[in-house]
Amino acid sequence: MISIALAGKPNAGKSTFYKAATMADVDVANYPFTTIDANRGVSSVRTKCPCLELDERCGNDACHDGKRYVPVELLDVAGLVPGAHEGRGLGNQFLDELTNADVILNVVDASGATDAEGEPVEVGTYDPVDEVDFIEEQMDMWLAGIVDRNWETVERQSRSPGFDIDDALAEMLTGFGATEADVAASLRDLDYPDNPRDWTDEHREALARDVRARTKPIVLVANKADVAPEENVERLAETGKPVIPATAEGELALRQAVEAGAVEYDPGDDDFEVVGDLSAQQEQGLERIRDVMAEWGGTGVQQAMNEAVYDLLDRITAYPVQNESKWTDGQGNVLPDAFLLPRGSTPRDLAYAVHSDIGDGYLHAVDARTNREISDSHELEEGDVVKIVSTAK
Ligand SMILES: Nc1nc2c(ncn2[C@@H]2O[C@H](COP(=O)(O)OP(=O)(O)O)[C@@H](O)[C@H]2O)c(=O)[nH]1
Ligand SMILES: [Mg+2]
């Protein structure tokens, strides 16, 4: 499963985001280090279900009237404070938790009501743009520290015949979640000596920064957009990084209202409908959320996860089926599964995503829309429905 990590300063709204996105019961409080252990939960990205092209909706639990939710892992990492990579706060422990993350949501308090240490201050007194580089810097320095600590090993390895620096670095960094292709691409971009003993701190740091940027891309979540001065959100956008304005608190309120039967809303919608009884106060609160949603096209929680997976990680959703005319599995379930694959994936890649045996026994595939066989080199696209023919069952 794709893993999304919520990183940021204490008090930025990570746990609120996490709770809303997973509806799990975690601490939500107004002081640093509320989250002591990593919270790992399941959330989802939202896409259009191919069943919209059928006469009837598919009825899958993960499909609400054609809005299809595909599971992703969400990780609530405790707050990072300045110096975290040197072990300040609960620093490295949390940075280490990012190892398995595919993409990072940097949750920023766009209202400027949280200082660098994560302490609450008056709205507008702290510049949230300072946050943007801060998290990146902490992550870069953390990885540089890992490279430093492993350097002796690389130097030792270099004494044996057949030593290849690229291979040695790839081996070290794949442990941090980088692929060999990532490391190779970074090394192509950098100038460096073949002998590890000739490397300087600058070489190691440059490598760490480049690999970090490739393996842990970041979406900025401009949270507390409900109370943030609009210019703060605009200035965050001017950093040129992907920015999603959000109200995690608004999303949480909506999901709780849905659970209470008072509101109809699907995560990622840009509006909601009140269907149950509410107190005047609740109604007022929800109307304020509606205003924020109208301004930004939703609460931003679903949008941020979608941006991370579909834009930054460039994934597509593919739907394997057994029956290519009914789009069902062996039990008659319509569009039973959805897989998030890297763009450029082939039908054989999808077969492997389903099961390694199915992949090993792959014979050919059929596009369930056209009922035509698709070639092995065919690149799947968003929403493709595919029958895989394999010797394995
Ligand atoms: N106004 C506003 N407050 C929020 C929002 N999201 C979180 N908060 C508040 O910010 C404080 C810190 O939230 P929390 O999720 O515990 O932050 P964390 O330390 O990053 O996990 C809490 O008082 C939340 O209610 C939001 O979208 N808008
Ligand atoms: Mg927290």
Side-chain angles (χ1 to χ4, degrees), residues 254-264 273-278:
L254 279 177
R255 293 213 191 184
Q256 284 165 339
V258 169
E259 207 167 69
V263 157
E264 266 176 24
E273 200 182 332
V274 176
V275 292
D277 288 335
L278 293 169

Side-chain angles (χ1 to χ4, degrees), residues 9-16 27-30 35 223-224 226-227 246-250:
K9 279 186 322 190
N11 206 34
K14 298 178 298 298
S15 295
T16 308
D27 280 327
V28 180
N30 198 11
T35 314
N223 194 35
K224 311 197 187 183
D226 50 316
V227 288
T247 172
E249 204 169 66

Side-chain angles (χ1 to χ4, degrees), residues 35-38 77 84 87 89-98 142:
T35 314
I36 296 299
D37 286 310
V77 181
L90 295 170
N92 274 320
Q93 184 186 332
F94 299 132
L95 285 164
D96 287 344
E97 282 166 7
L98 300 180
W142 161 70

Side-chain angles (χ1 to χ4, degrees), residues 278-294:
L278 293 169
S279 70
Q281 200 189 1
Q282 285 170 318
E283 183 115 29
Q284 236 180 29
L286 286 176
E287 288 313 313
R288 274 201 302 273
I289 297 167
R290 201 195 296 279
D291 292 342
V292 182
M293 292 170 80

Side-chain angles (χ1 to χ4, degrees), residues 23-35:
M23 278 298 268
D25 198 35
V26 296
D27 280 327
V28 180
N30 198 11
Y31 60 88
F33 309 131
T34 311
T35 314

Side-chain angles (χ1 to χ4, degrees), residues 235-370:
R235 286 176 53 252
L236 283 167
E238 281 164 16
T239 61
K241 323 233 166 195
V243 177
I244 306 291
T247 172
E249 204 169 66
E251 178 76 14
L252 183 58
L254 279 177
R255 293 213 191 184
Q256 284 165 339
V258 169
E259 207 167 69
V263 157
E264 266 176 24
Y265 164 76
D266 289 317
D269 285 353
D270 60 6
D271 201 1
F272 60 87
E273 200 182 332
V274 176
V275 292
D277 288 335
L278 293 169
S279 70
Q281 200 189 1
Q282 285 170 318
E283 183 115 29
Q284 236 180 29
L286 286 176
E287 288 313 313
R288 274 201 302 273
I289 297 167
R290 201 195 296 279
D291 292 342
V292 182
M293 292 170 80
E295 189 171 353
W296 303 109
T299 69
V301 168
Q302 187 65 65
Q303 287 80 2
M305 293 188 290
N306 269 40
E307 175 85 14
V309 171
Y310 287 116
D311 293 272
L312 260 70
L313 295 181
D314 205 16
R315 298 292 168 130
I316 57 141
T317 324
Y319 302 81
V321 294
Q322 280 183 40
N323 182 317
E324 69 271 39
S325 39
K326 296 190 178 136
W327 296 8
T328 54
D329 63 12
Q331 284 79 52
N333 301 306
V334 183
L335 297 165
D337 294 308
F339 286 87
L340 293 167
L341 303 177
R343 187 176 301 284
S345 293
T346 63
R348 191 188 296 269
D349 295 326
L350 175 61
Y352 272 107
V354 174
H355 195 283
S356 57
D357 290 347
I358 307 275
D360 287 341
Y362 177 86
L363 296 172
H364 69 271
V366 177
D367 180 331
R369 279 201 180 75
T370 60

